[in-house]
């Protein structure tokens, strides 16, 4: 009887301790990656290869999603703004929402589910098939050879993808606002330029995406490296990457926004 | 052989990134009078700035000539001290007047500069002496009601007077 | 075997995961230039033994000496040097799936030497030729059969001409022909390179044909040892069970359950009524 009452409590305690333990391990893992990063830059082709997989292959999904998000912003923004007679400010609305929030956050969420999960699965499978063991037995550090190049590729790719998401989103908004609805093209751009500030909006948005890139890629490579080396272990690690990344992105976004704006 | 294709793609990827950031800075944001070299400061004191914000535009004849750099309260005289950062290309005479205006009925507030007739121009860091404060809607309505109640001499005081905030 | 010429030596080695002991007071010797097999059932701790030699695990008690150096207390640099003179063949080859056969075999050469690409290509060709797979350079690991993958992995393991070779279950999951090929290659390469080799396996008959000495591991201890001929003639119940593949014997068929079968089926109470 007592047993059944305390069981959920004990489970909660176990989960909490486990989470803290993993957080500590992840921090140590980040330190190890940073220490072992020399090779990622000395042998740049290792990192370039990973930029190809993490960044270039995400281009399509980023461009298409950015375009649609911008178009939706254009439609919804026009509906709301026209009620207050300020449809002229549509350009500003689209650009500011993208640059400050939607661009970095959505690009990071897409990146986590497209490239982050792929990284986890790849590293997890390398672990499950003893490729990481084989590497370390060959006196090659898997963190330096496998993990660090992927980490840096993610950190480099994320701001590029976010910037691209912003640009395509703005064009999506432009397409809906100017081409479909028929707002004045000059007003659209000048309203945007008047209200968007280079440092406050553009640069801060990119700094956000840099933080997201670090967080998502760290989660992805950590989950892969820490995965239970079985098929089930790798698949649950992949799921965890996407879920944890999404939560961390949103929480981090709140913290960064509070600091920046 | 495979590596060169990847290199090419990554090169394209980086180029797209640079192009995107350039587009965002040039076309979306206004990279104009931001640097300290191309601008000079002036300041002006107002009884009441209403809803004026830092980075609000400074316009002359509707043309943006600078931005509000900072707003603070002068605790000696209890006036709002507004520092303007103006584009070096635009010089104003010593008797220029500054007023706080609103774009549209409910739009953002900005500072309008009206050129005077003095042959000498304001030097960086100097003060614009002639200012008129923001129109505060509540006060305006209050005054109107007062005048309406008194009914008598309707031309008592124009509501846009410079020291209306007493 | 002679006491003084041991290249790899375990002295009173114990190891466990958390509080579950895996190996208890292991003593064994592997002489220079010999091929030694460690046999035992699944879960008997023989792969752990191999990982203690490669330095993937550290012995909790005792010494694992390789050429006079204790692997258990090596620092990072010593371990690096130790691993550079060691080659290891993993259970399923562990080829890097994103690299071609050529790049796989070239991997240790590229990581540890500054040789020009043309020389690396020649070395890779020679190593692949040694395992009979010259001409497969451009293939990806997914295009290889299990036996071929194992041979490519062997070529990769010997790329830097190691002094120590470790084989982790080299015969698992192979058809009889591939198995014979791998066994022949292991024997041939060992003789040609003069490496000291440890092979962990549960394939008795093929191993007895090629090894110089056999240790039997069960329940974390060494239960028997000897040359192949001694093993075949042995009357030890362990060896007998293993060599003849008997289901029950010193290694029990049944999991040591806490309760009797009757208890589990709820029959014990019935009997008393």
């Amino acid at each position: 009887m007592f047993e059944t009452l305390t069981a959920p409590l004990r489970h909660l305690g176990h989960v909490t301790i486990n989470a803290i333990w993993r957080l500590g391990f992840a921090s140590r893992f980040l330190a190890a990656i940073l220490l072992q990063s020399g090779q990622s830059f000395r042998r740049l082709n290792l990192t370039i290869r990973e930029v190809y997989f993490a960044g270039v292959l995400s281009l399509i999904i980023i461009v298409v999603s950015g375009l649609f998000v911008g178009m939706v912003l254009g439609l919804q923004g026009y509906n709301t703004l026209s009620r207050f007679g300020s449809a002229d400010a549509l350009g500003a609305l689209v650009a500011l929402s993208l640059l400050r929030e939607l661009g970095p956050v959505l690009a990071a969420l897409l990146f986590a589910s497209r490239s982050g999960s792929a990284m986890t699965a790849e590293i997890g499978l390398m672990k499950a098939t003893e490729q990481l063991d084989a590497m370390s037995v060959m006196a090659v550090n898997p963190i330096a050879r496998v993990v660090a190049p992927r980490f840096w590729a993610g950190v480099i790719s994320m701001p590029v993808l976010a910037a691209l998401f912003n640009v395509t989103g703005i064009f999506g908004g432009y397409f809906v606002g100017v081409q479909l609805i028929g707002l004045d093209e000059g007003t659209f751009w000048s309203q945007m330029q008047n209200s968007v500030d280079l440092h406050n909006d553009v640069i801060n948005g990119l700094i956000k995406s840099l933080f997201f890139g670090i967080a998502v890629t760290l989660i992805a490579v950590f989950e892969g490296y820490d995965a239970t080396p079985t098929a089930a272990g790798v698949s649950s690690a992949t799921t965890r990457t996407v879920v944890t990344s999404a939560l961390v992105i949103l929480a981090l976004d709140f913290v960064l926004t509070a600091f920046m704006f | 052989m495979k590596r060169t294709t990847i290199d090419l793609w990554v090169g394209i990827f980086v180029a797209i990134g640079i192009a995107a950031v350039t587009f965002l800075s040039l076309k979306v944001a206004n990279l104009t009078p931001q640097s300290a070299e191309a601008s000079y400061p002036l300041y002006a004191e107002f009884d009441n700035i209403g809803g004026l914000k830092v980075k609000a535009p400074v316009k002359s004849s509707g043309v943006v000539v600078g931005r509000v750099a900072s707003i603070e309260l002068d605790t000696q005289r209890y006036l709002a001290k507004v520092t303007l950062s103006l584009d070096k290309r635009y010089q104003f005479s010593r008797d220029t007047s500054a007023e706080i205006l609103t774009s549209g009925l409910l739009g953002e507030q900005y500072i309008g500069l009206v050129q005077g007739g003095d042959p000498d121009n304001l030097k960086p860091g100097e003060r614009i002496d002639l200012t008129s404060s923001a129109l505060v809607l509540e006060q305006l309505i209050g005054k109107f009601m007062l005048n309406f109640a008194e009914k008598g001499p309707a031309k008592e005081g124009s509501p846009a007077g410079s020291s209306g905030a007493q | 075997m002679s006491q003084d010429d041991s290249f790899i030596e375990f002295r009173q080695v114990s190891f466990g995961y958390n509080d579950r002991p895996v190996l208890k007071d292991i003593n064994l010797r592997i002489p220079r230039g010999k091929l030694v097999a460690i046999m035992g059932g699944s879960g008997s701790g023989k792969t752990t033994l191999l990982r203690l030699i490669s330095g993937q695990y550290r012995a909790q008690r005792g010494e694992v000496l390789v050429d006079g150096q204790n692997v258990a207390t090596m620092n990072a640099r010593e371990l690096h040097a130790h691993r550079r003179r060691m080659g290891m063949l993993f259970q399923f080859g562990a080829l890097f799936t994103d690299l071609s056969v050529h790049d796989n075999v070239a991997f240790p050469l590229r990581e540890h030497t500054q040789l020009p690409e043309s020389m690396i290509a020649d070395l890779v060709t020679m190593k692949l030729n040694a395992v009979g797979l010259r001409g497969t350079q451009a293939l990806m690991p997914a295009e290889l059969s299990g036996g071929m993958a194992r041979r490519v992995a062997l070529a990769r393991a010997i790329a830097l001409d190691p002094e120590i070779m470790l084989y982790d279950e080299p015969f698992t999951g192979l058809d009889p022909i591939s198995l014979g090929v791998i066994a022949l290659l292991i024997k041939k390469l060992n003789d040609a390179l003069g490496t000291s080799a440890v092979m962990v396996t549960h394939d008795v008959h093929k191993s007895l044909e090629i090894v110089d000495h056999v240790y039997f591991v069960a329940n974390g201890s060494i239960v028997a040892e000897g040359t192949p001929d001694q093993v075949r003639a042995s009357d030890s119940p362990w060896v007998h069970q293993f060599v003849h593949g008997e289901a029950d014997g010193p290694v029990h068929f049944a999991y040591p359950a806490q309760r009797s079968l009757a208890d589990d089926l709820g029959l014990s109470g019935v009997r008393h009524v």
Side-chain angles (χ1 to χ4, degrees):
Chain A
M1 188 61 197
F2 190 62
E3 212 35 20
T4 49
L5 287 175
T6 54
L9 207 63
R10 206 170 315 124
H11 178 72
L12 187 71
H14 179 76
V15 167
T16 312
I17 288 170
N18 201 34
I20 292 172
W21 178 81
R22 281 166 60 84
L23 186 66
F25 186 36
S27 314
R28 200 158 58 88
F29 191 66
L30 176 63
I33 291 175
L34 296 180
L35 275 176
Q36 302 285 344
S37 287
Q39 206 182 38
S40 313
F41 297 106
R42 252 182 288 117
R43 292 170 60 182
L44 207 59
N45 61 330
L46 289 179
T47 310
I48 285 180
R49 200 184 122 92
E50 299 308 328
V51 170
Y52 175 79
F53 288 115
V56 175
L57 295 183
S58 306
L59 280 177
I60 303 280
I61 186 174
I62 289 287
V63 167
V64 173
S65 326
L67 207 58
F68 279 113
V69 168
M71 284 161 68
V72 169
L73 273 178
L75 281 177
Q76 295 280 23
Y78 176 76
N79 274 342
T80 312
L81 287 176
S82 58
R83 281 185 216 174
F84 302 104
S86 38
D88 284 349
L90 186 66
L93 176 97
V94 169
L96 284 180
S97 3
L98 280 168
L99 289 169
R100 288 175 159 227
E101 288 300 327
L102 293 176
V105 170
L106 291 182
L109 289 173
L110 291 169
F111 181 75
S113 29
R114 165 67 185 71
S115 303
S117 58
M119 274 184 202
T120 307
E122 200 183 4
I123 296 176
L125 275 177
M126 289 184 83
K127 188 182 181 189
T129 54
E130 294 188 306
Q131 292 180 44
L132 296 183
D133 280 336
M135 218 173 256
S136 61
V137 166
M138 280 188 250
V140 175
N141 187 331
I143 292 187
R145 183 64 171 69
V146 173
V147 175
R150 283 171 173 75
F151 175 76
W152 287 110
V155 173
I156 293 165
S157 302
M158 191 66 257
V160 174
L161 293 173
L164 188 64
F165 190 96
N166 287 336
V167 171
T168 50
I170 286 168
F171 274 106
Y174 165 82
F175 176 72
V176 167
V178 176
Q179 304 293 334
L180 293 186
I181 295 174
L183 296 177
D184 179 57
E185 178 165 356
T187 317
F188 183 87
W189 291 113
S190 67
Q191 281 279 345
M192 191 187 292
Q193 289 179 0
N194 269 336
S195 44
V196 173
D197 182 74
L198 178 71
H199 177 77
N200 262 342
D201 303 320
V202 178
I203 309 273
N204 274 357
L206 291 180
I207 290 173
K208 259 189 186 180
S209 68
L210 190 68
F211 274 95
F212 294 160
I214 294 171
V216 170
T217 329
L218 178 65
I219 290 169
V221 293
F222 173 73
E223 288 291 358
Y225 200 79
D226 190 46
T228 315
T230 59
V234 173
S235 92
S236 77
T238 312
T239 311
R240 269 206 307 277
T241 294
V242 178
V243 174
T244 319
S245 296
L247 292 177
V248 168
I249 288 165
L250 296 173
L252 200 59
D253 184 43
F254 173 74
V255 175
L256 289 173
T257 306
F259 265 103
M260 283 174 172
F261 300 116
Chain B
M1 209 177 324
K2 203 173 159 195
R3 194 171 297 152
T4 53
T5 6
I6 285 184
D7 283 344
L8 177 67
W9 274 109
V10 172
I12 292 171
F13 179 72
V14 173
I16 288 175
I18 293 170
V21 173
T22 315
F23 174 82
L24 290 178
S25 358
L26 293 182
K27 185 84 177 150
V28 176
N30 42 347
L31 241 185
T32 29
Q34 283 296 322
S35 59
E37 286 201 7
S39 66
Y40 67 100
L42 289 178
Y43 74 96
E45 287 164 341
F46 295 92
D47 294 326
N48 191 328
I49 58 162
L52 189 72
K53 302 253 167 26
V54 173
K55 292 207 185 290
V58 178
K59 298 182 183 177
S60 183
S61 309
V63 178
V64 178
V65 295
R67 300 214 166 255
V68 172
S70 71
I71 298 171
E72 52 202 67
L73 186 64
D74 179 347
T75 48
Q76 298 289 308
R77 297 182 293 147
Y78 285 88
L79 291 173
K81 182 180 172 188
V82 176
T83 308
L84 313 177
S85 170
L86 297 185
D87 194 324
K88 270 230 171 89
R89 286 177 296 169
Y90 305 118
Q91 300 290 330
F92 292 90
S93 65
R94 302 186 71 90
D95 57 349
T96 294
S97 65
E99 51 187 337
I100 296 176
L101 301 167
T102 307
S103 51
L105 189 59
L106 296 168
E108 59 167 356
Q109 288 189 300
Y110 64 95
I111 291 186
L113 297 181
V114 179
Q115 171 77 331
D118 198 307
D120 292 332
N121 283 338
L122 286 162
K123 292 189 184 61
E126 285 191 321
R127 188 177 68 160
I128 300 172
D129 293 324
L130 299 169
T131 63
S132 67
S133 291
L135 283 179
V136 179
L137 210 57
E138 295 93 314
Q139 291 176 352
L140 210 64
I141 294 169
K143 268 196 186 129
F144 176 73
M145 297 290 276
L146 210 66
N147 288 352
F148 191 72
E150 282 173 357
K151 264 186 180 175
K155 279 185 168 186
E156 211 17 38
S158 112
S162 66
S163 51
Q166 236 62 311
Chain C
M1 81 183 65
S2 70
Q3 298 276 315
D4 40 292
D5 200 27
S6 59
F7 190 65
I8 301 172
E9 185 173 356
F10 279 58
R11 286 186 189 157
Q12 297 291 327
V13 172
S14 294
F15 179 83
Y17 300 106
N18 302 324
D19 39 348
R20 189 170 60 87
V22 176
L23 297 174
K24 287 166 289 192
D25 296 330
I26 297 279
N27 285 296
L28 62 80
R29 292 171 200 289
I30 290 138
R32 198 181 291 272
K34 294 285 193 241
L35 177 57
V36 171
I38 297 171
M39 291 188 197
S42 309
S44 59
K46 51 192 195 318
T47 298
T48 309
L49 260 172
L50 217 54
R51 294 186 168 217
L52 287 170
I53 301 175
S54 69
Q56 285 164 282
Y57 297 154
R58 305 286 181 116
Q60 282 144 355
R61 257 185 318 115
E63 291 177 310
V64 179
L65 297 174
V66 174
D67 205 8
Q69 266 194 301
N70 187 0
V71 179
T73 57
M74 278 181 177
N75 62 28
R77 189 181 303 154
E78 287 166 339
L79 195 61
H80 184 86
H82 165 60
R83 284 172 170 176
R84 282 213 42 187
R85 46 198 284 220
M86 183 180 76
M88 184 160 175
L89 179 63
F90 281 82
Q91 193 163 357
F92 293 102
L95 290 178
F96 303 130
T97 38
D98 55 339
L99 299 181
S100 68
V101 167
H102 176 273
D103 290 337
N104 260 290
V105 180
F107 185 87
L109 297 166
R110 285 188 180 139
E111 294 293 327
H112 292 306
T113 66
Q114 307 294 323
L115 296 175
E117 274 303 306
S118 61
M119 201 179 283
I120 286 180
D122 291 346
L123 282 169
V124 169
T125 310
M126 281 163 59
K127 298 295 174 190
L128 283 175
N129 193 43
V131 298
L133 289 177
R134 189 165 46 85
T136 59
Q137 276 95 327
L139 297 179
M140 295 303 281
E143 300 169 276
L144 301 174
S145 71
M148 284 163 81
R150 211 70 61 87
R151 280 150 76 183
V152 172
L154 187 57
R156 185 180 68 180
I158 59 168
L160 286 171
D161 297 325
E163 293 170 57
I164 313 157
M165 272 303 293
L166 307 176
Y167 300 97
D168 185 6
E169 308 273 16
F171 305 131
T172 308
L174 293 182
D175 62 84
I177 299 173
S178 304
L179 198 153
V181 170
I182 292 284
L184 181 76
L185 280 173
I186 289 175
K187 181 69 185 159
K188 220 174 70 181
L189 288 171
N190 214 58
D191 291 346
L193 298 171
T195 53
S196 314
V198 186
M199 181 167 76
V200 155
T201 180
H202 45 232
D203 187 288
V204 184
H205 302 283
K206 206 70 204 174
S207 313
L208 289 180
E209 288 174 23
I210 60 172
V211 299
D212 300 307
H213 200 86
V214 183
Y215 285 94
F216 282 93
V217 182
N219 300 330
S221 334
I222 293 190
V223 292
E225 62 166 303
T227 62
D229 289 334
Q230 287 169 335
V231 166
R232 284 192 194 98
S234 169
D235 52 0
S236 152
W238 295 97
V239 177
H240 195 268
Q241 185 190 3
F242 211 84
V243 171
H244 296 277
E246 290 158 354
D248 213 347
V251 177
H252 294 294
F253 163 72
Y255 183 83
Q258 301 294 317
R259 309 194 309 165
S260 71
L261 180 65
D263 285 340
D264 276 350
L265 297 177
L267 298 175
S268 53
V270 176
R271 200 184 306 154
H272 289 294
V273 172

